């Protein structure tokens, strides 16, 4: 991205009136408070820009991946001043994105977004993200084309930090024309006042910091000038874990976030130490664009629990062997060990797992020790088709087991008990694979034709599966019609084909990858 020189701010950026502050006794930039009608003569309210401007920054990242959840990471492309410099060192949650990224990401984004009719397909010389921003501001009092585009320089961030009165957040937007930015922010302040909402801003050398109150905005800027998140070594080291060009970044320090917000939680002091001690580590992630998918990758750092052995990582052969028409599936390695560890933690908190599941298992002549081996080293739960009703469900569980004969005996007992509860299922074993499925779906599972693993939607969604410990696959093309959207909505999301999630361990550190596929 080519940085453009910033126009010096008009007026004194340290002056609250110049910064666009307002309160109950005066208007924005109007000490006398003139120019505002009485409440009873106000026009019909529009959606306030205060909330829209701040929330819209984060919503852009989600919109980029067509509604998927995320939050993304690595160093932003381009030089110049980064929004990191305006985020206080006390920041515990941070997301930034560059809407004018590296050339390869811009081309990939143009191709990906061009598959959605509602998003105007950009010309080669247009920024592919403009159509997304136009959608975000649609219906708002503030227009993207008229009020934001003339000054917004395509780089922005959100920082959740510890303010003087508790946790709060500010938005940080790069400006290429501080004069036009000030005019737009004054308009936003005035519209917020009409809505009786809180909104304030401050311009700082080519950046606009926005928040709910002037005190929070000023506090953020003051803290950042003393020391910003850019000087946070932990943040920098976490971000450096990710490689390649990224469109957006996100980072959360879970322990710091909890320590800040627990004061806002009622009865937070009553939470057992056994629970709060597990709140630790950080999550860092990055959004990377491809012509056929949007991909979020990330790491969960410092979240390993003492004494817990991570599950083995390998190729999810059971998942790939599912029928081609599989609608959704979850694959996990070492599920039995994971559940045992979780139950052990419950015991450490004074809870007895047996009181929840023990009575049911005792009635069918089984115990937890009888059920755990049914889960095996690799376990898959799948949905074979979109059900039209409870009687049409095609679902099953299959796993690799070490003792097929015992698995068949215990599985048959479990199947009989589940059937008595009104969910007809059957159990079977083939080789070292255990099956528990609805009767009509069982033959297809046992056939194991590997059709799913060969489909383009699956391979695009899952990426490299050579060494993973968990995976989730969802066929969006099959599920979206079930939601009965309108013809227009169906056309707008027709390109969405699948979602894939994979996770594992990189030198002991958990990692994840999420892809949204559009073909």
């Amino acid at each position: 991205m080519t940085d453009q020189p910033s126009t010096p701010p008009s007026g004194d950026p340290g002056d609250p009136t110049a910064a666009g502050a307002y309160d109950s006794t005066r208007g924005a930039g109007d000490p006398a408070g003139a120019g505002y009608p009485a409440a009873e003569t106000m026009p019909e309210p529009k959606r306030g820009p205060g909330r829209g401007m701040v929330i819209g920054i984060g919503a852009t990242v989600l919109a980029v991946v067509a509604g998927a959840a995320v939050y993304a990471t690595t160093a932003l492309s381009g030089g110049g001043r980064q929004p990191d410099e305006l985020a206080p060192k006390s920041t515990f949650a941070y997301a930034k994105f560059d809407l004018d990224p590296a050339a390869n990401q811009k081309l990939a984004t143009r191709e990906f977004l061009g598959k959605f009719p509602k998003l105007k397909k950009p010309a080669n010389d247009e920024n592919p993200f403009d159509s997304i921003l136009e959608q975000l501001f649609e219906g708002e009092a503030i227009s993207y084309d008229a009020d934001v585009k003339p000054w917004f320089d395509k780089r922005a961030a959100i920082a959740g930090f510890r303010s003087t009165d508790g946790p709060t957040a500010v938005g940080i937007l790069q400006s290429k024309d501080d004069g036009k930015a000030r005019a737009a922010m004054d308009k936003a302040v005035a519209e917020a006042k009409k809505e009786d909402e809180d909104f304030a801003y401050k311009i700082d050398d080519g950046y606009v910091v926005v928040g709910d109150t002037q005190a929070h905005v000023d506090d953020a800027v003051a803290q950042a000038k003393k020391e910003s998140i850019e000087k946070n070594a932990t943040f920098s080291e976490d971000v450096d874990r990710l490689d390649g060009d990224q469109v957006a970044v996100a980072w959360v320090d879970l322990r710091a976030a909890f320590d800040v917000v627990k004061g806002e939680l009622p009865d937070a002091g009553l939470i057992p130490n056994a629970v709060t001690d597990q709140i630790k580590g950080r999550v860092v992630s990055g959004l990377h664009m491809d012509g056929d998918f949007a991909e979020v990758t990330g790491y969960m750092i410092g979240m390993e629990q003492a004494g817990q052995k991570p599950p083995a990582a390998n190729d999810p052969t059971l998942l790939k062997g599912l029928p081609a028409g599989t609608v959704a599936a979850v694959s996990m390695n070492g599920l039995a060990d994971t559940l045992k560890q979780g139950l052990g933690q419950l015991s450490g908190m004074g809870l007895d797992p047996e009181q929840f599941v023990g009575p049911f298992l005792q009635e069918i002549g089984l115990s937890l020790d009888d059920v755990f081996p049914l889960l095996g080293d690799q376990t898959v739960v799948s949905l074979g088709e979109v059900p039209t009703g409870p009687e049409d469900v095609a679902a099953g569980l299959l796993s690799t087991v070490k003792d097929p004969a015992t698995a068949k005996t215990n599985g048959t007992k479990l199947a009989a008990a589940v059937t008595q509860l009104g969910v007809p299922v059957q159990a079977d074993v083939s080789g070292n694979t255990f099956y528990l499925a609805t009767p009509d779906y069982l033959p297809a599972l046992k056939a194991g034709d590997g059709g799913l693993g060969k489909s383009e939607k699956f391979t695009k969604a899952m990426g490299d599966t050579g060494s993973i410990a968990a995976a989730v696959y969802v066929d969006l093309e099959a599920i979206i019609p079930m939601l009965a959207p309108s013809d227009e909505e169906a056309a707008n999301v027709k390109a969405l084909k699948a979602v894939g999630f994979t996770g594992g361990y990189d030198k002991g550190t958990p990692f994840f990858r999420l892809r949204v596929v559009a073909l």
Side-chain angles (χ1 to χ4, degrees), residues 130 249 338 440 506:
D130 281 344
V249 308
T338 300
D440 291 341
D506 181 6

Side-chain angles (χ1 to χ4, degrees), residues 138-342:
E138 186 176 354
E140 296 285 349
I142 299 298
S143 163
Y144 173 70
D145 284 336
D147 301 313
V148 179
K149 189 175 181 179
W151 61 267
F152 179 46
D153 207 15
K154 303 299 190 296
R155 188 175 285 173
I158 293 179
F161 71 103
R162 185 194 293 268
S163 186
T164 53
D165 59 355
T168 190
V170 292
I172 306 166
L173 302 93
Q174 189 177 28
S175 164
K176 59 188 175 185
D177 189 324
D178 287 351
K180 292 180 179 179
R182 187 180 304 283
M185 292 297 100
D186 284 342
K187 180 178 179 180
V189 168
E191 292 293 339
K193 184 178 178 69
K194 293 178 185 179
E195 287 286 308
D196 196 26
E197 291 186 348
D198 296 319
F199 180 69
Y201 77 93
K202 189 168 187 174
I203 294 179
D204 189 288
D205 190 21
Y207 271 94
V208 181
V209 182
V210 299
D212 58 348
T213 69
Q214 197 63 46
H216 287 157
V217 170
D218 291 342
D219 188 20
V221 174
Q223 286 192 41
K225 286 187 179 298
K226 291 181 180 179
E227 196 165 11
S228 69
I229 196 175
E230 187 182 41
K231 304 299 183 181
N232 184 328
T234 300
F235 168 76
S236 299
E237 291 170 2
D238 290 347
V239 168
D240 287 344
R241 287 176 176 265
L242 294 169
D243 299 322
D245 294 319
Q246 309 289 326
V247 171
V249 308
W251 176 85
V252 180
D253 185 329
L254 299 177
R255 185 70 213 186
F258 176 74
D259 288 342
V260 172
V261 303
K262 67 180 180 181
E264 309 295 318
L265 301 175
D267 301 324
L270 300 179
I271 302 176
N273 290 338
V275 175
T276 59
D277 288 347
Q278 307 302 316
I279 304 174
K280 61 182 181 178
R282 289 97 55 201
V283 179
V284 64
S285 58
L287 173 64
H288 176 85
M289 300 300 296
D290 181 274
D292 290 334
F293 56 82
E295 176 183 85
V296 175
T297 58
Y299 288 89
M300 295 172 282
I301 306 158
M303 298 175 67
E304 303 84 356
Q305 303 299 330
Q308 290 192 6
K309 180 181 179 181
N314 50 40
D315 191 46
T317 54
L318 289 182
L319 179 65
K320 290 182 174 181
L322 293 173
T326 299
V327 171
V330 178
S331 174
M332 289 190 67
N333 290 354
L335 179 57
D337 290 338
T338 300
L339 290 175
K340 289 177 183 177
Q341 292 172 355

